[in-house]
Amino acid sequence: MSKKKLREGYTTGASAAAAAKAAVRSSIQKQNIQLIVSTIPIGRQVEFTIHRNDPKQGIASVIKDGGDDPDCTHGAEIVAQVELNKSGEIIIDGGEGVARVTRLGLGLELGTAAINPVPRKNIAEMVREELT
C-alpha cells in the first residue's frame, strides 16, 4: 500500500466563498482579479485562482479542485454573482446547479437554496471581509 500523501482539495462551499469574495472585490475595484486569498471553514487561508471574472456584472468563478479524493463536482466551474447595494444585508441564493430545499430536516428553510450552514456562513464571512 502506497504511503504517498494525498493532495488536498477544497469543498464546493469553500470554492463558492472564494468566488464570492473575488466577485465583491472586483466589483468594488472595478477591475479583473486573478487570485484571491480566502479563509476556509477550518480557519486556514488558501489562495484560489480566479477562472472567470466580470467586474461589471459582479461575476467571478473558481474551478473546483477536489484534490486526490475528488467528488462529482471536481473540475466544475463554481460561479458567484454579486449585486452591491446600500442595505448592508448579505443575501445568499443559489444559481444554476444548486438545488432547493424540499424537505425539512437539514436546518434550512423550505424553498431556499440547498447551501448548508457552514458553507453559507463561510460565504457570508468572505463577502463581509471585502465590504469592511
Side-chain angles (χ1 to χ4, degrees), residues 37-93:
V37 174
S38 185
T39 305
I40 61 176
I42 62 170
R44 204 172 81 237
Q45 291 192 320
V46 175
E47 186 174 79
F48 288 84
T49 300
I50 303 308
H51 174 70
R52 183 165 49 114
N53 190 208
D54 183 342
K56 290 181 182 177
Q57 293 188 25
I59 294 173
S61 72
V62 169
I63 300 298
K64 184 183 177 215
D65 180 2
D68 284 341
D69 188 21
D71 65 10
C72 65
T73 60
H74 175 73
E77 182 182 20
I78 308 300
V79 181
Q81 184 168 12
V82 300
E83 182 180 325
L84 302 177
N85 61 48
K86 297 191 187 302
S87 76
E89 185 179 8
I90 297 172
I91 300 168
I92 299 171
D93 196 9

Side-chain angles (χ1 to χ4, degrees), residues 107-123:
L108 302 171
E109 290 183 42
L110 289 176
T112 62
I115 302 169
N116 288 321
V118 170
R120 185 177 288 273
K121 180 179 180 221
N122 187 217
I123 292 166

